């Protein structure tokens, strides 16, 4: 849609340029061209506002999942190597049900409806 907006901007520039302006005036299309310009300005403002709000949003949880998974695996490996498997298991005890649920959700397949 933004590419289409660029094309419209180029066409409006032609209509307001030295070649198109006399044709627009002769045909009485000035109100339509002005309306088009106003609508395009509103679209550009809306697009810029959406882009600014998108930048303000926190990172999506699914986007943070892979780095979090790598960090947890690294922490587990360090604990096992420095403190032992029992300590690592004790530290990750509370996380185990959550990790198992996440693994199950990733591997769960949709089952077809049965009649």
């Amino acid at each position: 849609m933004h590419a289409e907006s660029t094309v419209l901007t180029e066409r409006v520039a032609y209509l307001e340029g030295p070649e198109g302006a006399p044709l627009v005036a002769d045909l009485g299309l000035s109100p339509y061209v002005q309306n088009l310009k106003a609508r395009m300005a509103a679209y550009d403002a809306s697009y810029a506002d959406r882009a600014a709000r998108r930048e303000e949003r926190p990172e999506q949880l699914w986007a943070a999942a892979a780095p979090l998974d790598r960090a947890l695996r690294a922490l587990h490996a360090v604990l096992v190597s420095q403190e032992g498997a029992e300590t690592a298991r004790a530290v990750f005890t509370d996380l185990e049900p959550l990790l198992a649920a996440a693994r199950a959700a990733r591997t769960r397949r949709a089952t077809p409806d049965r009649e």
Side-chain angles (χ1 to χ4, degrees):
M1 290 169 56
H2 193 65
E4 291 174 5
S5 178
T6 303
V7 170
L8 284 174
T9 302
E10 291 173 357
R11 291 184 179 172
V12 168
Y14 169 78
L15 293 174
E16 293 181 325
E19 292 180 33
L23 293 172
V24 169
D26 288 345
L27 296 173
L29 298 176
S30 294
Y32 297 103
V33 172
Q34 295 307 317
N35 185 26
L36 180 61
K37 282 179 61 175
R39 302 291 178 188
M40 288 170 43
Y43 171 78
D44 288 339
S46 173
Y47 187 84
D49 184 50
R50 273 185 38 209
R53 282 187 284 144
R54 185 181 308 129
E55 293 297 322
E56 293 173 0
R57 279 188 245 156
E59 184 179 9
Q60 295 292 324
L61 184 60
W62 58 266
L68 178 61
D69 185 52
R70 286 193 299 270
L72 288 173
R73 288 175 186 269
L75 176 61
H76 187 269
V78 167
L79 285 173
V80 168
S81 67
Q82 292 182 355
E83 303 294 330
E86 288 299 319
T87 302
R89 192 169 317 149
V91 168
F92 280 87
T93 298
D94 292 338
L95 288 176
E96 187 57 39
L98 298 173
L99 296 172
R103 280 192 303 272
R106 267 197 313 263
T107 58
R108 188 175 301 130
R109 296 175 190 235
T111 57
D113 292 336
R114 296 177 192 222
E115 296 180 20

